Amino acid sequence: MSSRQQPRWTQTWLGGVRSAGVDLGYPGERLGLPREGSGAVAGFGRRIGAIVIDWLICTWAITQGLLRIDPVQQGWVPILIFAAEYVLLVGTMGMTFGMRLLGVRVAALDGGRPGFVSVLVRTLLLCLAVPALIWDRDQRGLHDRAANTVVVRI
């Protein structure tokens, strides 16, 4: 390969290994998930949208509307309600309201619903926010990796 055909070192560093021509497969391939359709790894847009919807429900509808608590004065209340919503809904249905609206669900790596301990670990790490911002090539955040879960399309 001539020097003109090889990527510059900045291209591989800034763009990742995919920009260097390395084929890592599609997200979820290592997990045995399909590339498209039901059961495929959910994209970031759907995941971010679902969490924003859930956060708005917890902050405005429940904290302000139902409980009449000002989330600015008591900032711990919305995150506590958010955690309770996730543990309850993901633990029983495999999805929250926002996830259902955007067509995604949390699944265990075997495809079933995650167990209670997995849901609890995932929720606690999700509330810290940082683990959700660091993900692998299968688009699983650290909270998903720790809980052995993956967010898939319905």
Side-chain angles (χ1 to χ4, degrees):
M1 203 178 222
S2 73
S3 62
R4 286 197 168 282
Q5 294 173 331
Q6 294 179 355
R8 294 188 326 214
W9 70 270
T10 54
Q11 289 173 318
T12 60
W13 179 65
L14 294 174
V17 293
R18 289 187 196 270
S19 67
V22 176
D23 181 23
L24 298 176
Y26 62 87
E29 183 175 17
R30 292 183 311 159
L31 304 173
L33 301 174
R35 181 186 295 260
E36 297 288 327
S38 180
V41 173
F44 291 117
R46 290 177 188 236
R47 295 175 69 159
I48 300 266
I51 204 165
V52 167
I53 291 169
D54 290 329
W55 184 251
L56 291 175
I57 289 171
C58 293
T59 304
W60 289 349
I62 297 174
T63 304
Q64 286 183 321
L66 190 63
L67 300 177
R68 305 269 185 228
I69 296 173
D70 183 12
V72 175
Q73 300 297 322
Q74 297 179 355
W76 57 272
V77 175
I79 197 76
L80 188 65
I81 293 171
F82 182 80
E85 176 201 23
Y86 261 71
V87 169
L88 179 69
L89 295 178
V90 173
T92 57
M93 299 185 326
M95 66 185 84
T96 62
F97 297 121
M99 290 178 182
R100 179 66 183 132
L101 286 172
L102 296 180
V104 297
R105 71 179 178 91
V106 177
L109 291 181
D110 64 3
R113 229 180 16 230
F116 178 73
V117 174
S118 292
V119 171
L120 194 60
V121 167
R122 186 181 189 280
T123 301
L124 291 175
L125 291 174
L126 183 62
C127 288
L128 293 177
V130 174
L133 299 174
I134 302 169
W135 59 88
D136 64 7
R137 72 183 197 199
D138 291 316
Q139 298 182 358
R140 294 172 58 214
L142 289 180
H143 62 299
D144 281 322
R145 290 183 59 97
N148 289 321
T149 59
V150 61
V151 179
V152 296
R153 294 169 54 185
I154 297 175

